[in-house]
């Protein structure tokens, strides 16, 4: 069963995020808290979460949000996180979560569902390919965070040097 997360699921969502980060060898990078998740997921609603359950117990989750394709002239769904508990892998929950997002994308008239995969995660890449997904090798993800983000933001209030 796939269900939409509620505010009561915040501790579970944070646990899934931490478990995913541990699997990805990025546990040190998690600074999210229950408070920030409550605000960003359920007050400001920047993203959505669905949870897969097995016999009433949480098996995994997907966290996603809308993006937009100017080329398609349509919204899309960006899958930020997909995680299935290790003991639940191979039972179809990852596929069920992705199928749920695909159905949402079709229902919402989205042009695509996209996500990023760590380049060392061959099991995940093979799984996604088995579902018909294909890698987009021509693109490289860029990211601004921390000081670089703040330093660039400062320039938005600087007077223009153009005449």
């Amino acid at each position: 069963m796939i269900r939409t997360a509620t505010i009561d699921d915040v501790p579970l969502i944070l646990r899934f995020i931490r478990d995913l980060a541990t699997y990805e060898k990025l546990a040190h990078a998690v600074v999210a808290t229950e408070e920030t998740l409550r605000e960003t997921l359920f007050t400001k609603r920047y993203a959505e979460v669905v949870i897969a359950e097995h016999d009433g117990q949480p098996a995994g989750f997907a966290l996603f949000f809308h993006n937009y394709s100017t080329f398609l002239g349509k919204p899309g769904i960006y899958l930020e996180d997909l995680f299935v508990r290790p003991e639940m892998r191979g039972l179809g929950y990852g596929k069920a979560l992705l199928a749920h997002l695909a159905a949402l994308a079709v229902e919402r008239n989205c042009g695509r569902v996209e996500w990023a995969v760590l380049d060392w995660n061959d099991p995940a890449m093979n799984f996604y390919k088995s579902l018909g997904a294909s890698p987009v090798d021509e693109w490289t993800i860029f990211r601004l965070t921390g000081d670089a983000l703040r330093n660039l933001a400062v320039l938005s209030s600087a007077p223009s040097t153009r005449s």
Side-chain angles (χ1 to χ4, degrees), residues 22-80:
T22 298
Y23 172 77
E24 293 180 339
K25 302 171 183 70
L26 294 168
H28 63 279
V30 177
V31 296
T33 64
E34 288 184 16
E35 182 180 318
T36 61
L37 293 177
R38 267 188 218 92
E39 178 182 347
T40 57
L41 297 176
F42 297 100
T43 300
K44 295 185 178 176
R45 301 204 179 266
Y46 289 127
E48 300 174 60
V49 177
V50 291
I51 296 173
E53 291 186 337
H54 176 82
D55 292 333
Q57 296 302 308
F61 87 124
L63 187 148
F64 62 97
F65 52 88
H66 283 279
N67 57 12
Y68 191 83
S69 168
T70 56
F71 287 12
L72 297 177
K74 290 184 169 192
I77 288 179
Y78 187 82
L79 173 60
E80 178 66 24

Side-chain angles (χ1 to χ4, degrees), residues 35-144:
E35 182 180 318
T36 61
L37 293 177
R38 267 188 218 92
E39 178 182 347
T40 57
L41 297 176
F42 297 100
T43 300
K44 295 185 178 176
R45 301 204 179 266
Y46 289 127
E48 300 174 60
V49 177
V50 291
I51 296 173
E53 291 186 337
H54 176 82
D55 292 333
Q57 296 302 308
F61 87 124
L63 187 148
F64 62 97
F65 52 88
H66 283 279
N67 57 12
Y68 191 83
S69 168
T70 56
F71 287 12
L72 297 177
K74 290 184 169 192
I77 288 179
Y78 187 82
L79 173 60
E80 178 66 24
D81 286 335
L82 175 72
F83 179 76
V84 175
R85 291 176 32 215
E87 65 272 20
M88 297 291 175
R89 292 182 188 151
L91 300 176
Y93 291 106
K95 184 176 184 178
L97 286 162
L98 283 168
H100 183 82
L101 293 187
L104 280 178
V106 170
E107 177 185 313
R108 296 176 183 185
N109 196 30
C110 295
R112 59 186 171 206
V113 176
E114 293 182 306
W115 60 94
V117 182
L118 289 167
D119 60 9
W120 57 261
N121 196 345
D122 290 328
M125 285 189 268
N126 291 333
F127 168 65
Y128 297 138
K129 288 176 186 175
S130 78
L131 299 176
S134 55
V136 184
D137 295 328
E138 303 87 23
W139 295 84
T140 300
I141 297 171
F142 280 79
R143 180 178 293 160
L144 281 170

